[in-house]
């Protein structure tokens, strides 16, 4: 198949997704083919330059600041987390990923959150926030409903598992060969680096770890990939 027949975004899709300076949009207007470099930039997302990665570092900084404050002040900030079966604590869907049961817990989540979050943020800051929001909602509600009543659920590990789920299935929702290669490589890196601990973390454990949050976080990540990319994939198949 020649390159001109390979699936790609339409001009309207490129304008909505990547802005008026999209390489695909430019090529559609001028009739010139996009270069490999331009296709790489489009496949990874190009809006905002390095600023697209700022939300990852901002959220991580907030987690560390909160944990430092929690260690200094006499109050237990973890009580602001999500308490299972308590409808008054549902605000914890937002707050609980920012709270941790000590610096060891936070440190264990820091590196995978940073690495996986940066992979997702490469598609753009809005994509990162959208995936994070869907994952936090599904992980929070799932853990809230399936954990024994009265338990407090804190930590960003549900978000980490959601990022893993998103990246694991992201490649299936694109028809572009270059995108498939890029996301397959990312998925392979994630699996090799974190695969065993992430997979086993979704099974029941007797050490106080919220495996429910892990499991529903992963489900939220898969759901986010499906919701965000399914329509685009179907349209690409029709128009290719």
């Amino acid at each position: 198949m020649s390159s001109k027949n390979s699936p790609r975004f339409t001009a309207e899709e490129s304008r909505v997704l990547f802005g008026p300076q999209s390489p695909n949009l430019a090529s559609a207007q001028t009739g010139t083919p996009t270069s490999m470099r331009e296709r790489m930039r489009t496949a990874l997302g190009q809006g905002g330059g390095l600023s697209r990665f700022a939300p990852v570092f901002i959220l991580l900084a907030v987690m560390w600041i909160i944990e430092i404050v929690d260690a200094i002040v006499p109050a237990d900030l973890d009580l602001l987390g999500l308490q299972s079966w308590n409808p008054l604590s549902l605000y914890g869907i937002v707050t609980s990923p920012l709270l941790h049961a000590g610096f060891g817990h936070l440190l264990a989540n820091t590196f995978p959150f940073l690495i996986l979050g940066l992979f997702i943020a490469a598609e753009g800051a809005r994509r990162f926030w959208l995936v994070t929001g869907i994952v936090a909602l599904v992980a929070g509600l799932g853990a809230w409903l399936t954990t024994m009543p009265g338990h407090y659920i804190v930590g960003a590990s549900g978000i980490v598992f959601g990022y893993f789920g998103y990246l694991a299935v992201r490649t299936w929702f694109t028809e572009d060969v270059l995108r498939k290669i890029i996301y397959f490589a990312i998925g392979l890196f994630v699996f090799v680096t974190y695969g065993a601990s992430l997979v086993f973390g979704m099974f029941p454990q007797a050490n106080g770890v919220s495996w429910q949050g892990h499991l529903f976080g992963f489900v939220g990540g898969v759901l986010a990939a499906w919701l965000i990319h399914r329509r685009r994939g179907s349209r690409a198949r029709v128009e290719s």
Side-chain angles (χ1 to χ4, degrees), residues 116 135 138-139 142-143 146-147 157-166 168-169 190-191 194-207 209-223:
L116 302 182
V135 168
V138 176
T146 58
T147 303
S157 54
I159 302 295
V160 170
F161 275 77
Y163 290 169
F164 173 61
Y166 174 85
V169 302
V190 170
F191 181 79
Y194 303 108
S197 60
L198 289 171
V199 170
F200 286 110
M202 290 185 284
F203 291 95
Q205 303 173 46
N207 56 2
V209 175
S210 177
W211 62 269
Q212 297 96 328
H214 297 173
L215 176 61
F216 283 99
F218 180 83
V219 171
V222 173
L223 179 63

mmCIF file of all heavy atoms in Angstrom, residues 116 135 138-139 142-143 146-147 157-166 168-169 190-191 194-207 209-223:
data_model
loop_
_atom_site.group_PDB
_atom_site.id
_atom_site.type_symbol
_atom_site.label_atom_id
_atom_site.label_comp_id
_atom_site.label_asym_id
_atom_site.label_seq_id
_atom_site.Cartn_x
_atom_site.Cartn_y
_atom_site.Cartn_z
ATOM 1 N N LEU A 116 4.804 6.877 33.603
ATOM 2 C CA LEU A 116 3.595 6.598 32.837
ATOM 3 C C LEU A 116 2.841 7.886 32.515
ATOM 4 O O LEU A 116 2.281 8.035 31.426
ATOM 5 C CB LEU A 116 2.692 5.634 33.612
ATOM 6 C CG LEU A 116 3.312 4.287 33.999
ATOM 7 C CD1 LEU A 116 2.296 3.414 34.715
ATOM 8 C CD2 LEU A 116 3.865 3.571 32.783
ATOM 9 N N VAL A 135 -9.926 7.907 34.994
ATOM 10 C CA VAL A 135 -9.329 6.883 35.860
ATOM 11 C C VAL A 135 -9.667 7.148 37.320
ATOM 12 O O VAL A 135 -10.053 6.231 38.061
ATOM 13 C CB VAL A 135 -7.805 6.828 35.665
ATOM 14 C CG1 VAL A 135 -7.150 5.988 36.749
ATOM 15 C CG2 VAL A 135 -7.468 6.272 34.290
ATOM 16 N N VAL A 138 -13.422 6.243 38.011
ATOM 17 C CA VAL A 138 -13.709 4.802 38.023
ATOM 18 C C VAL A 138 -13.012 4.113 39.188
ATOM 19 O O VAL A 138 -13.608 3.291 39.892
ATOM 20 C CB VAL A 138 -13.284 4.162 36.680
ATOM 21 C CG1 VAL A 138 -13.479 2.648 36.722
ATOM 22 C CG2 VAL A 138 -14.081 4.764 35.525
ATOM 23 N N ALA A 139 -11.738 4.448 39.422
ATOM 24 C CA ALA A 139 -10.989 3.828 40.521
ATOM 25 C C ALA A 139 -11.602 4.189 41.863
ATOM 26 O O ALA A 139 -11.758 3.322 42.744
ATOM 27 C CB ALA A 139 -9.527 4.272 40.478
ATOM 28 N N GLY A 142 -15.175 2.562 42.226
ATOM 29 C CA GLY A 142 -15.038 1.112 42.353
ATOM 30 C C GLY A 142 -14.517 0.700 43.711
ATOM 31 O O GLY A 142 -15.043 -0.212 44.354
ATOM 32 N N ALA A 143 -13.462 1.385 44.177
ATOM 33 C CA ALA A 143 -12.904 1.072 45.495
ATOM 34 C C ALA A 143 -13.877 1.430 46.597
ATOM 35 O O ALA A 143 -13.984 0.717 47.605
ATOM 36 C CB ALA A 143 -11.583 1.815 45.682
ATOM 37 N N THR A 146 -16.534 -1.428 46.771
ATOM 38 C CA THR A 146 -16.123 -2.826 47.000
ATOM 39 C C THR A 146 -15.220 -3.023 48.213
ATOM 40 O O THR A 146 -14.918 -4.161 48.568
ATOM 41 C CB THR A 146 -15.394 -3.364 45.751
ATOM 42 O OG1 THR A 146 -14.261 -2.539 45.457
ATOM 43 C CG2 THR A 146 -16.322 -3.383 44.545
ATOM 44 N N THR A 147 -14.788 -1.933 48.860
ATOM 45 C CA THR A 147 -13.983 -2.050 50.073
ATOM 46 C C THR A 147 -14.908 -2.153 51.279
ATOM 47 O O THR A 147 -15.991 -1.554 51.292
ATOM 48 C CB THR A 147 -13.053 -0.819 50.226
ATOM 49 O OG1 THR A 147 -12.238 -0.715 49.058
ATOM 50 C CG2 THR A 147 -12.164 -0.954 51.451
ATOM 51 N N SER A 157 -1.828 5.053 43.605
ATOM 52 C CA SER A 157 -1.594 3.799 42.898
ATOM 53 C C SER A 157 -2.756 3.445 41.971
ATOM 54 O O SER A 157 -2.546 2.825 40.926
ATOM 55 C CB SER A 157 -1.336 2.658 43.890
ATOM 56 O OG SER A 157 -2.368 2.563 44.836
ATOM 57 N N GLY A 158 -3.989 3.824 42.330
ATOM 58 C CA GLY A 158 -5.113 3.590 41.423
ATOM 59 C C GLY A 158 -4.930 4.335 40.114
ATOM 60 O O GLY A 158 -5.247 3.816 39.035
ATOM 61 N N ILE A 159 -4.395 5.566 40.195
ATOM 62 C CA ILE A 159 -4.113 6.344 38.989
ATOM 63 C C ILE A 159 -3.006 5.674 38.185
ATOM 64 O O ILE A 159 -3.071 5.599 36.950
ATOM 65 C CB ILE A 159 -3.702 7.779 39.368
ATOM 66 C CG1 ILE A 159 -4.801 8.459 40.197
ATOM 67 C CG2 ILE A 159 -3.388 8.587 38.123
ATOM 68 C CD1 ILE A 159 -6.093 8.670 39.462
ATOM 69 N N VAL A 160 -1.983 5.182 38.869
ATOM 70 C CA VAL A 160 -0.871 4.508 38.195
ATOM 71 C C VAL A 160 -1.383 3.292 37.427
ATOM 72 O O VAL A 160 -1.023 3.084 36.260
ATOM 73 C CB VAL A 160 0.209 4.086 39.207
ATOM 74 C CG1 VAL A 160 1.240 3.173 38.548
ATOM 75 C CG2 VAL A 160 0.891 5.315 39.801
ATOM 76 N N PHE A 161 -2.231 2.492 38.060
ATOM 77 C CA PHE A 161 -2.783 1.318 37.379
ATOM 78 C C PHE A 161 -3.662 1.746 36.202
ATOM 79 O O PHE A 161 -3.731 1.046 35.189
ATOM 80 C CB PHE A 161 -3.574 0.464 38.362
ATOM 81 C CG PHE A 161 -2.730 -0.494 39.139
ATOM 82 C CD1 PHE A 161 -1.966 -0.058 40.206
ATOM 83 C CD2 PHE A 161 -2.682 -1.842 38.820
ATOM 84 C CE1 PHE A 161 -1.175 -0.925 40.943
ATOM 85 C CE2 PHE A 161 -1.902 -2.726 39.538
ATOM 86 C CZ PHE A 161 -1.138 -2.269 40.594
ATOM 87 N N GLY A 162 -4.338 2.891 36.343
ATOM 88 C CA GLY A 162 -5.139 3.400 35.240
ATOM 89 C C GLY A 162 -4.286 3.810 34.058
ATOM 90 O O GLY A 162 -4.622 3.528 32.904
ATOM 91 N N TYR A 163 -3.172 4.461 34.328
ATOM 92 C CA TYR A 163 -2.253 4.825 33.250
ATOM 93 C C TYR A 163 -1.737 3.569 32.556
ATOM 94 O O TYR A 163 -1.584 3.535 31.329
ATOM 95 C CB TYR A 163 -1.070 5.614 33.810
ATOM 96 C CG TYR A 163 -1.406 7.010 34.295
ATOM 97 C CD1 TYR A 163 -0.481 7.745 35.041
ATOM 98 C CD2 TYR A 163 -2.634 7.596 34.015
ATOM 99 C CE1 TYR A 163 -0.777 9.032 35.479
ATOM 100 C CE2 TYR A 163 -2.937 8.867 34.458
ATOM 101 C CZ TYR A 163 -2.004 9.584 35.192
ATOM 102 O OH TYR A 163 -2.289 10.841 35.632
ATOM 103 N N PHE A 164 -1.427 2.541 33.343
ATOM 104 C CA PHE A 164 -0.966 1.275 32.780
ATOM 105 C C PHE A 164 -2.032 0.678 31.859
ATOM 106 O O PHE A 164 -1.740 0.236 30.746
ATOM 107 C CB PHE A 164 -0.624 0.310 33.912
ATOM 108 C CG PHE A 164 -0.296 -1.093 33.452
ATOM 109 C CD1 PHE A 164 0.771 -1.341 32.617
ATOM 110 C CD2 PHE A 164 -1.065 -2.172 33.863
ATOM 111 C CE1 PHE A 164 1.076 -2.622 32.194
ATOM 112 C CE2 PHE A 164 -0.772 -3.456 33.452
ATOM 113 C CZ PHE A 164 0.297 -3.689 32.613
ATOM 114 N N GLY A 165 -3.287 0.675 32.321
ATOM 115 C CA GLY A 165 -4.369 0.142 31.495
ATOM 116 C C GLY A 165 -4.554 0.934 30.210
ATOM 117 O O GLY A 165 -4.757 0.352 29.134
ATOM 118 N N TYR A 166 -4.465 2.243 30.308
ATOM 119 C CA TYR A 166 -4.620 3.097 29.128
ATOM 120 C C TYR A 166 -3.534 2.803 28.102
ATOM 121 O O TYR A 166 -3.812 2.582 26.913
ATOM 122 C CB TYR A 166 -4.577 4.564 29.544
ATOM 123 C CG TYR A 166 -4.597 5.530 28.385
ATOM 124 C CD1 TYR A 166 -5.800 5.930 27.813
ATOM 125 C CD2 TYR A 166 -3.411 6.052 27.872
ATOM 126 C CE1 TYR A 166 -5.820 6.823 26.749
ATOM 127 C CE2 TYR A 166 -3.427 6.941 26.810
ATOM 128 C CZ TYR A 166 -4.628 7.319 26.252
ATOM 129 O OH TYR A 166 -4.632 8.187 25.187
ATOM 130 N N ALA A 168 -1.651 0.174 27.898
ATOM 131 C CA ALA A 168 -1.638 -1.222 27.475
ATOM 132 C C ALA A 168 -2.537 -1.464 26.278
ATOM 133 O O ALA A 168 -2.244 -2.324 25.440
ATOM 134 C CB ALA A 168 -2.048 -2.130 28.637
ATOM 135 N N VAL A 169 -3.651 -0.730 26.177
ATOM 136 C CA VAL A 169 -4.603 -0.979 25.090
ATOM 137 C C VAL A 169 -4.646 0.166 24.077
ATOM 138 O O VAL A 169 -5.380 0.085 23.094
ATOM 139 C CB VAL A 169 -6.028 -1.225 25.645
ATOM 140 C CG1 VAL A 169 -6.042 -2.394 26.603
ATOM 141 C CG2 VAL A 169 -6.570 0.024 26.340
ATOM 142 N N VAL A 190 6.406 -0.491 29.361
ATOM 143 C CA VAL A 190 5.619 -0.501 30.597
ATOM 144 C C VAL A 190 5.502 -1.907 31.153
ATOM 145 O O VAL A 190 5.668 -2.140 32.355
ATOM 146 C CB VAL A 190 4.221 0.103 30.336
ATOM 147 C CG1 VAL A 190 3.312 -0.108 31.532
ATOM 148 C CG2 VAL A 190 4.335 1.584 30.015
ATOM 149 N N PHE A 191 5.227 -2.877 30.264
ATOM 150 C CA PHE A 191 5.044 -4.250 30.736
ATOM 151 C C PHE A 191 6.343 -4.820 31.294
ATOM 152 O O PHE A 191 6.353 -5.462 32.348
ATOM 153 C CB PHE A 191 4.544 -5.132 29.595
ATOM 154 C CG PHE A 191 4.307 -6.561 30.013
ATOM 155 C CD1 PHE A 191 3.157 -6.908 30.697
ATOM 156 C CD2 PHE A 191 5.235 -7.553 29.722
ATOM 157 C CE1 PHE A 191 2.929 -8.224 31.090
ATOM 158 C CE2 PHE A 191 5.025 -8.861 30.111
ATOM 159 C CZ PHE A 191 3.868 -9.192 30.796
ATOM 160 N N TYR A 194 7.104 -2.706 34.680
ATOM 161 C CA TYR A 194 6.178 -2.774 35.809
ATOM 162 C C TYR A 194 5.195 -3.938 35.733
ATOM 163 O O TYR A 194 4.365 -4.100 36.633
ATOM 164 C CB TYR A 194 5.347 -1.477 35.889
ATOM 165 C CG TYR A 194 6.174 -0.231 36.010
ATOM 166 C CD1 TYR A 194 6.276 0.650 34.938
ATOM 167 C CD2 TYR A 194 6.847 0.062 37.176
ATOM 168 C CE1 TYR A 194 7.034 1.807 35.037
ATOM 169 C CE2 TYR A 194 7.608 1.210 37.288
ATOM 170 C CZ TYR A 194 7.692 2.080 36.226
ATOM 171 O OH TYR A 194 8.439 3.205 36.323
ATOM 172 N N GLY A 195 5.286 -4.737 34.665
ATOM 173 C CA GLY A 195 4.260 -5.728 34.395
ATOM 174 C C GLY A 195 3.899 -6.620 35.564
ATOM 175 O O GLY A 195 2.736 -6.720 35.961
ATOM 176 N N ALA A 196 4.889 -7.292 36.160
ATOM 177 C CA ALA A 196 4.598 -8.263 37.216
ATOM 178 C C ALA A 196 3.934 -7.606 38.422
ATOM 179 O O ALA A 196 2.901 -8.073 38.912
ATOM 180 C CB ALA A 196 5.883 -8.964 37.645
ATOM 181 N N SER A 197 4.522 -6.501 38.900
ATOM 182 C CA SER A 197 3.978 -5.852 40.096
ATOM 183 C C SER A 197 2.591 -5.279 39.832
ATOM 184 O O SER A 197 1.709 -5.326 40.700
ATOM 185 C CB SER A 197 4.917 -4.741 40.569
ATOM 186 O OG SER A 197 5.084 -3.769 39.561
ATOM 187 N N LEU A 198 2.362 -4.763 38.618
ATOM 188 C CA LEU A 198 1.058 -4.199 38.303
ATOM 189 C C LEU A 198 -0.010 -5.277 38.167
ATOM 190 O O LEU A 198 -1.131 -5.116 38.647
ATOM 191 C CB LEU A 198 1.148 -3.365 37.022
ATOM 192 C CG LEU A 198 1.906 -2.036 37.155
ATOM 193 C CD1 LEU A 198 2.117 -1.404 35.786
ATOM 194 C CD2 LEU A 198 1.157 -1.075 38.060
ATOM 195 N N VAL A 199 0.332 -6.375 37.520
ATOM 196 C CA VAL A 199 -0.644 -7.450 37.344
ATOM 197 C C VAL A 199 -1.021 -8.063 38.689
ATOM 198 O O VAL A 199 -2.205 -8.219 39.026
ATOM 199 C CB VAL A 199 -0.105 -8.533 36.384
ATOM 200 C CG1 VAL A 199 -1.008 -9.759 36.402
ATOM 201 C CG2 VAL A 199 0.007 -7.977 34.967
ATOM 202 N N PHE A 200 -0.028 -8.417 39.500
ATOM 203 C CA PHE A 200 -0.325 -9.031 40.788
ATOM 204 C C PHE A 200 -0.968 -8.047 41.761
ATOM 205 O O PHE A 200 -1.663 -8.461 42.695
ATOM 206 C CB PHE A 200 0.952 -9.619 41.402
ATOM 207 C CG PHE A 200 1.399 -10.882 40.738
ATOM 208 C CD1 PHE A 200 2.541 -10.914 39.959
ATOM 209 C CD2 PHE A 200 0.664 -12.057 40.862
ATOM 210 C CE1 PHE A 200 2.961 -12.077 39.332
ATOM 211 C CE2 PHE A 200 1.061 -13.227 40.240
ATOM 212 C CZ PHE A 200 2.220 -13.244 39.474
ATOM 213 N N GLY A 201 -0.760 -6.762 41.550
ATOM 214 C CA GLY A 201 -1.371 -5.757 42.416
ATOM 215 C C GLY A 201 -2.868 -5.661 42.269
ATOM 216 O O GLY A 201 -3.536 -5.032 43.094
ATOM 217 N N MET A 202 -3.437 -6.292 41.224
ATOM 218 C CA MET A 202 -4.882 -6.254 41.019
ATOM 219 C C MET A 202 -5.597 -7.434 41.658
ATOM 220 O O MET A 202 -6.813 -7.577 41.516
ATOM 221 C CB MET A 202 -5.189 -6.196 39.516
ATOM 222 C CG MET A 202 -4.806 -4.873 38.867
ATOM 223 S SD MET A 202 -5.296 -4.755 37.133
ATOM 224 C CE MET A 202 -4.033 -5.786 36.360
ATOM 225 N N PHE A 203 -4.863 -8.293 42.361
ATOM 226 C CA PHE A 203 -5.463 -9.445 43.026
ATOM 227 C C PHE A 203 -5.565 -9.190 44.531
ATOM 228 O O PHE A 203 -4.781 -8.408 45.092
ATOM 229 C CB PHE A 203 -4.639 -10.701 42.757
ATOM 230 C CG PHE A 203 -4.707 -11.176 41.333
ATOM 231 C CD1 PHE A 203 -3.731 -10.810 40.411
ATOM 232 C CD2 PHE A 203 -5.762 -11.961 40.914
ATOM 233 C CE1 PHE A 203 -3.796 -11.235 39.097
ATOM 234 C CE2 PHE A 203 -5.834 -12.396 39.588
ATOM 235 C CZ PHE A 203 -4.856 -12.025 38.685
ATOM 236 N N PRO A 204 -6.541 -9.819 45.213
ATOM 237 C CA PRO A 204 -6.709 -9.608 46.660
ATOM 238 C C PRO A 204 -5.422 -9.866 47.434
ATOM 239 O O PRO A 204 -4.687 -10.804 47.144
ATOM 240 C CB PRO A 204 -7.796 -10.627 47.030
ATOM 241 C CG PRO A 204 -8.581 -10.816 45.772
ATOM 242 C CD PRO A 204 -7.563 -10.723 44.656
ATOM 243 N N GLN A 205 -5.179 -8.989 48.420
ATOM 244 C CA GLN A 205 -3.984 -9.085 49.246
ATOM 245 C C GLN A 205 -4.359 -8.882 50.707
ATOM 246 O O GLN A 205 -5.387 -8.293 51.022
ATOM 247 C CB GLN A 205 -2.950 -8.020 48.821
ATOM 248 C CG GLN A 205 -2.553 -8.119 47.357
ATOM 249 C CD GLN A 205 -1.665 -6.968 46.930
ATOM 250 O OE1 GLN A 205 -0.717 -6.602 47.603
ATOM 251 N NE2 GLN A 205 -1.993 -6.387 45.780
ATOM 252 N N ALA A 206 -3.503 -9.378 51.591
ATOM 253 C CA ALA A 206 -3.784 -9.307 53.026
ATOM 254 C C ALA A 206 -2.852 -8.331 53.732
ATOM 255 O O ALA A 206 -2.609 -8.445 54.920
ATOM 256 C CB ALA A 206 -3.644 -10.694 53.651
ATOM 257 N N ASN A 207 -2.335 -7.353 53.010
ATOM 258 C CA ASN A 207 -1.367 -6.428 53.600
ATOM 259 C C ASN A 207 -1.884 -4.998 53.687
ATOM 260 O O ASN A 207 -1.116 -4.058 53.834
ATOM 261 C CB ASN A 207 -0.068 -6.454 52.800
ATOM 262 C CG ASN A 207 -0.293 -6.150 51.320
ATOM 263 O OD1 ASN A 207 -1.412 -5.877 50.901
ATOM 264 N ND2 ASN A 207 0.762 -6.197 50.533
ATOM 265 N N VAL A 209 -3.246 -3.263 51.354
ATOM 266 C CA VAL A 209 -3.188 -2.564 50.070
ATOM 267 C C VAL A 209 -4.554 -2.631 49.394
ATOM 268 O O VAL A 209 -5.190 -3.691 49.360
ATOM 269 C CB VAL A 209 -2.108 -3.186 49.158
ATOM 270 C CG1 VAL A 209 -2.143 -2.543 47.778
ATOM 271 C CG2 VAL A 209 -0.740 -3.032 49.786
ATOM 272 N N SER A 210 -5.004 -1.514 48.847
ATOM 273 C CA SER A 210 -6.306 -1.477 48.189
ATOM 274 C C SER A 210 -6.208 -2.053 46.785
ATOM 275 O O SER A 210 -6.057 -1.327 45.789
ATOM 276 C CB SER A 210 -6.825 -0.032 48.122
ATOM 277 O OG SER A 210 -8.058 0.026 47.424
ATOM 278 N N TRP A 211 -6.283 -3.388 46.703
ATOM 279 C CA TRP A 211 -6.249 -4.018 45.391
ATOM 280 C C TRP A 211 -7.479 -3.626 44.579
ATOM 281 O O TRP A 211 -7.453 -3.611 43.346
ATOM 282 C CB TRP A 211 -6.164 -5.542 45.527
ATOM 283 C CG TRP A 211 -7.350 -6.156 46.215
ATOM 284 C CD1 TRP A 211 -7.501 -6.400 47.543
ATOM 285 C CD2 TRP A 211 -8.565 -6.613 45.596
ATOM 286 N NE1 TRP A 211 -8.729 -6.977 47.802
ATOM 287 C CE2 TRP A 211 -9.393 -7.116 46.621
ATOM 288 C CE3 TRP A 211 -9.026 -6.642 44.276
ATOM 289 C CZ2 TRP A 211 -10.667 -7.639 46.373
ATOM 290 C CZ3 TRP A 211 -10.278 -7.161 44.017
ATOM 291 C CH2 TRP A 211 -11.086 -7.661 45.066
ATOM 292 N N GLN A 212 -8.575 -3.262 45.286
ATOM 293 C CA GLN A 212 -9.775 -2.820 44.571
ATOM 294 C C GLN A 212 -9.495 -1.539 43.788
ATOM 295 O O GLN A 212 -9.935 -1.380 42.642
ATOM 296 C CB GLN A 212 -10.922 -2.575 45.562
ATOM 297 C CG GLN A 212 -11.367 -3.807 46.316
ATOM 298 C CD GLN A 212 -10.697 -3.922 47.679
ATOM 299 O OE1 GLN A 212 -9.554 -3.493 47.855
ATOM 300 N NE2 GLN A 212 -11.404 -4.484 48.641
ATOM 301 N N GLY A 213 -8.750 -0.623 44.429
ATOM 302 C CA GLY A 213 -8.387 0.602 43.728
ATOM 303 C C GLY A 213 -7.497 0.327 42.533
ATOM 304 O O GLY A 213 -7.626 0.968 41.486
ATOM 305 N N HIS A 214 -6.589 -0.645 42.676
ATOM 306 C CA HIS A 214 -5.725 -1.027 41.567
ATOM 307 C C HIS A 214 -6.553 -1.596 40.410
ATOM 308 O O HIS A 214 -6.366 -1.213 39.249
ATOM 309 C CB HIS A 214 -4.707 -2.073 42.022
ATOM 310 C CG HIS A 214 -3.770 -1.578 43.080
ATOM 311 N ND1 HIS A 214 -2.872 -2.403 43.724
ATOM 312 C CD2 HIS A 214 -3.590 -0.343 43.609
ATOM 313 C CE1 HIS A 214 -2.180 -1.702 44.600
ATOM 314 N NE2 HIS A 214 -2.597 -0.445 44.553
ATOM 315 N N LEU A 215 -7.434 -2.526 40.746
ATOM 316 C CA LEU A 215 -8.232 -3.191 39.715
ATOM 317 C C LEU A 215 -9.120 -2.206 38.968
ATOM 318 O O LEU A 215 -9.136 -2.179 37.733
ATOM 319 C CB LEU A 215 -9.077 -4.294 40.353
ATOM 320 C CG LEU A 215 -10.050 -5.028 39.410
ATOM 321 C CD1 LEU A 215 -9.304 -5.715 38.288
ATOM 322 C CD2 LEU A 215 -10.892 -6.028 40.198
ATOM 323 N N PHE A 216 -9.850 -1.381 39.722
ATOM 324 C CA PHE A 216 -10.755 -0.442 39.059
ATOM 325 C C PHE A 216 -9.990 0.707 38.397
ATOM 326 O O PHE A 216 -10.484 1.307 37.443
ATOM 327 C CB PHE A 216 -11.781 0.089 40.059
ATOM 328 C CG PHE A 216 -12.871 -0.906 40.354
ATOM 329 C CD1 PHE A 216 -12.828 -1.696 41.494
ATOM 330 C CD2 PHE A 216 -13.926 -1.076 39.474
ATOM 331 C CE1 PHE A 216 -13.822 -2.617 41.766
ATOM 332 C CE2 PHE A 216 -14.931 -2.005 39.728
ATOM 333 C CZ PHE A 216 -14.877 -2.787 40.876
ATOM 334 N N GLY A 217 -8.783 1.001 38.892
ATOM 335 C CA GLY A 217 -7.949 1.963 38.186
ATOM 336 C C GLY A 217 -7.578 1.447 36.808
ATOM 337 O O GLY A 217 -7.652 2.179 35.815
ATOM 338 N N PHE A 218 -7.195 0.168 36.735
ATOM 339 C CA PHE A 218 -6.864 -0.440 35.448
ATOM 340 C C PHE A 218 -8.081 -0.426 34.524
ATOM 341 O O PHE A 218 -7.969 -0.084 33.339
ATOM 342 C CB PHE A 218 -6.386 -1.875 35.666
ATOM 343 C CG PHE A 218 -6.008 -2.599 34.400
ATOM 344 C CD1 PHE A 218 -4.751 -2.435 33.838
ATOM 345 C CD2 PHE A 218 -6.912 -3.437 33.769
ATOM 346 C CE1 PHE A 218 -4.415 -3.094 32.663
ATOM 347 C CE2 PHE A 218 -6.581 -4.098 32.598
ATOM 348 C CZ PHE A 218 -5.327 -3.926 32.047
ATOM 349 N N VAL A 219 -9.250 -0.783 35.073
ATOM 350 C CA VAL A 219 -10.488 -0.753 34.282
ATOM 351 C C VAL A 219 -10.747 0.664 33.775
ATOM 352 O O VAL A 219 -11.143 0.863 32.618
ATOM 353 C CB VAL A 219 -11.673 -1.249 35.127
ATOM 354 C CG1 VAL A 219 -12.998 -1.023 34.391
ATOM 355 C CG2 VAL A 219 -11.517 -2.734 35.451
ATOM 356 N N GLY A 220 -10.518 1.668 34.636
ATOM 357 C CA GLY A 220 -10.707 3.051 34.225
ATOM 358 C C GLY A 220 -9.778 3.450 33.096
ATOM 359 O O GLY A 220 -10.167 4.199 32.192
ATOM 360 N N GLY A 221 -8.541 2.957 33.116
ATOM 361 C CA GLY A 221 -7.607 3.259 32.047
ATOM 362 C C GLY A 221 -8.039 2.659 30.720
ATOM 363 O O GLY A 221 -7.951 3.314 29.670
ATOM 364 N N VAL A 222 -8.498 1.411 30.755
ATOM 365 C CA VAL A 222 -8.999 0.761 29.540
ATOM 366 C C VAL A 222 -10.227 1.507 29.021
ATOM 367 O O VAL A 222 -10.366 1.748 27.812
ATOM 368 C CB VAL A 222 -9.335 -0.720 29.820
ATOM 369 C CG1 VAL A 222 -10.014 -1.357 28.615
ATOM 370 C CG2 VAL A 222 -8.078 -1.490 30.201
ATOM 371 N N LEU A 223 -11.121 1.888 29.945
ATOM 372 C CA LEU A 223 -12.315 2.631 29.552
ATOM 373 C C LEU A 223 -11.944 3.976 28.942
ATOM 374 O O LEU A 223 -12.551 4.408 27.945
ATOM 375 C CB LEU A 223 -13.217 2.837 30.774
ATOM 376 C CG LEU A 223 -14.519 3.616 30.544
ATOM 377 C CD1 LEU A 223 -15.424 2.864 29.570
ATOM 378 C CD2 LEU A 223 -15.243 3.858 31.866
#
